[in-house]
Amino acid sequence: MNEEERRRLEERRKRQKMRAIQRRKQVLRQKIIIGGMVFLAAVIVIFSSVIKANHKKQEAEAAAKAAQEKKAEEEAKRLKEENTLHMVAVGDNLYHDSILEEGKGAEESEDWNFDFLYANVKKEIENADLAAVNQESPFVNNHDEAAGYPEFATPLEGGEALVKAGFDIVTQATNHAFDKGKAGIINSVSFWKNKHAAVTLLGIHQDQEDQDKNRVQVIEEKNFKIAMMNYTFTLNESAQMSESESYCVDLYEEETVKQDVAKAKTMADIVIVFLHTGTEDVTEVDEETEERMDFLAEQGVDIAICSHPHVVRAFGMKERPDGNSMLVYYSLGNFVSTQEAIPELLEGMADFTLEKDPETGKVSVTDYSLVPLVMHYDKGKTNCSVYKLSDYTEDMAKNHGIHEYSQDTFNLESIKEYFEPLLTPRSFKTESQKDNSSSEETT
């Protein structure tokens, strides 16, 4: 092989070697690129996993926080609900003869029913945590003994209708409580205790032991303990109790009331007194009732609800000597009746709310009002029922049976005008506070 051939061979080898080196470099670059891509993909996968894990963690933390907040909100709502109590109360449930006729079944039938009287206010009664009604007259077991004015006696179906309407508290210490003597008291107490023990009965008793035990009663509702009493200032002259029967009806006597209130304050968060008092058919508060309200305020009663005058009277807060206030409704008027004067048919439902501070246990009246009601009956005192004024219509007022007995205007406008001054709460002072204010002004 000559020199030229060797040179070309050498150059070819060099080129082959260079190409081999270039191929190795290219393969190495490819491996590096592929490795980099694999690494990058791995990094991306790891990073994505971390992001997803963090996102899930954040979602879990957010969900846990939301659940905690919802639980706290629900607990706060539950706590507020348990420490808020809504009550309503109505006046005299008084069955005149015309109402008894309306409730009778067919001739010789025992199927008497008085649900129709309460159908239009049943929702308001049921929706309250506690609802009270004054049952003006005693119950009788025999329909033949049922009677209206002047010595009232209500058939047991009247009590059943009150239960169906949703009442939880029934007061029966009234001037008519002893119209049927001791038998009427025993019939009434037996009805509530044996048939409707869940209803709290106030004001009447079957024996001395019953009075001693139940003159002051405590209702536990939600987170509240409410002590309640019911007294009447008198009994009808024709239906007086003997001394041996004095336990039958709780009469208003200052010393008894003083002792009862003192006892009640040790047993409960709040004290309510239902008092049958006042001059009939007089809208202005009579002096005797005012004195009784002053006395209750001085004893530290929290709420006083009056019945008996058959007409609506003022309501509002009365200052107590201890610096607190007593919510007082001086009269809610009738609830059910077929009386024949316009004011006796325009009545009120006390509506108030209690709130309890869960830390201190103090109970306050946070809201109170009077819901106007109308007792309706058609001509001939038929189609009897209680309505909220807000549901009452002009046509109903036009067809009211009151037009047979009164020449005074009776329409929606006149009804609203009658209620207008009675729906605004007022502030009251006890007589001693009035005297002190007068003395300070004079000084």
Side-chain angles (χ1 to χ4, degrees), residues 94-209:
L94 192 60
Y95 285 14
H96 288 90
D97 289 329
S98 49
I99 290 176
L100 295 174
E101 287 296 323
E102 283 278 283
K104 283 183 180 180
E107 190 172 349
E108 297 184 0
S109 169
E110 292 297 312
D111 297 329
W112 289 34
N113 188 292
F114 297 93
D115 295 350
F116 58 89
L117 292 166
Y118 316 104
N120 300 296
V121 290
K122 183 177 181 180
K123 181 179 178 181
E124 284 68 29
I125 297 166
E126 289 181 327
N127 286 346
D129 294 310
L130 291 174
V133 59
N134 181 58
Q135 172 57 33
E136 183 76 21
S137 56
F139 291 125
V140 288
N141 298 329
N142 192 327
H143 288 154
D144 292 338
E145 296 178 16
Y149 183 83
E151 293 182 351
F152 290 87
T154 302
L156 298 181
E157 288 85 355
E160 296 290 351
L162 292 177
V163 174
K164 292 177 188 176
F167 287 106
D168 312 284
I169 302 158
V170 176
T171 60
Q172 287 205 232
T174 75
N175 58 303
H176 288 286
F178 214 63
D179 279 5
K180 293 300 175 181
K182 186 176 178 180
I185 298 296
I186 292 176
N187 287 340
S188 301
V189 175
S190 297
F191 171 77
W192 293 116
K193 288 194 172 186
N194 297 333
K195 291 190 175 181
H196 299 288
V199 174
T200 299
L201 171 64
L202 298 171
I204 59 173
H205 311 280
Q206 61 189 359
D207 53 40
Q208 187 63 58
E209 181 182 359

Side-chain angles (χ1 to χ4, degrees), residues 209-438:
E209 181 182 359
D210 183 23
Q211 187 188 48
D212 294 341
K213 181 180 178 181
N214 294 317
R215 192 167 61 219
V216 178
Q217 292 207 49
V218 176
I219 295 178
E220 295 190 29
E221 182 72 17
K222 293 186 174 179
N223 199 26
F224 294 81
K225 288 184 178 180
I226 308 167
M228 297 183 179
M229 296 86 85
N230 170 217
Y231 311 96
T232 179
F233 77 107
T234 190
L235 295 173
N236 288 342
E237 289 186 11
S238 60
Q240 293 291 310
M241 298 182 295
S242 66
E243 186 175 345
S244 63
E245 298 168 325
S246 60
Y247 57 78
C248 288
V249 183
D250 291 332
L251 295 174
Y252 179 88
E253 296 173 347
E254 287 192 352
E255 189 56 38
T256 299
V257 173
K258 183 177 181 178
Q259 292 175 6
D260 286 350
V261 174
K263 176 183 176 181
K265 291 170 74 173
T266 67
M267 301 168 64
D269 309 311
I270 193 164
V271 178
I272 300 178
V273 172
F274 296 90
L275 183 59
H276 208 64
T277 179
T279 305
E280 293 185 351
D281 298 311
V282 176
T283 303
E284 293 301 315
V285 180
D286 53 279
E287 185 177 346
E288 291 82 3
T289 294
E290 194 67 86
E291 289 175 355
R292 291 167 187 141
M293 292 300 102
D294 285 355
F295 184 77
L296 294 181
E298 289 164 4
Q299 306 315 306
V301 171
D302 298 291
I303 300 171
I305 300 174
C306 302
S307 56
H308 180 65
H310 302 301
V311 293
V312 176
R313 289 180 170 182
F315 75 102
M317 285 293 182
K318 187 181 209 45
E319 294 182 23
R320 292 187 344 202
D322 62 4
N324 295 314
S325 297
M326 178 178 78
L327 174 61
V328 56
Y329 289 87
Y330 280 96
S331 175
L332 300 175
N334 291 324
F335 180 46
V336 166
S337 79
T338 52
Q339 290 196 269
E340 299 173 356
I342 290 174
E344 295 169 336
L345 304 172
L346 304 181
E347 46 207 48
M349 176 186 288
D351 188 312
F352 54 94
T353 300
L354 307 176
E355 288 191 12
K356 185 175 185 178
D357 186 324
E359 295 183 2
T360 65
K362 182 179 179 181
V363 176
S364 304
V365 178
T366 57
D367 188 39
Y368 55 96
S369 63
L370 185 77
V371 179
L373 306 175
V374 179
M375 178 64 211
H376 180 85
Y377 55 80
D378 285 346
K379 186 176 181 180
K381 295 185 177 179
T382 59
N383 194 27
C384 306
S385 191
V386 181
Y387 291 84
K388 290 195 303 178
L389 176 57
S390 58
D391 295 331
Y392 205 62
T393 67
E394 192 67 74
D395 283 344
M396 293 170 73
K398 181 179 179 181
N399 293 319
H400 199 297
I402 190 63
H403 297 291
E404 294 184 80
Y405 309 103
S406 174
Q407 299 302 311
D408 294 336
T409 302
F410 186 84
N411 54 34
L412 273 184
E413 183 179 359
S414 68
I415 295 172
K416 291 176 181 178
E417 286 178 356
Y418 179 86
F419 273 115
E420 186 175 359
L422 298 170
L423 299 181
T424 302
R426 294 169 55 185
S427 297
F428 308 99
K429 293 180 181 291
T430 63
E431 197 61 39
S432 60
Q433 289 168 332
K434 292 176 185 177
D435 293 341
N436 290 337
S437 297
S438 299

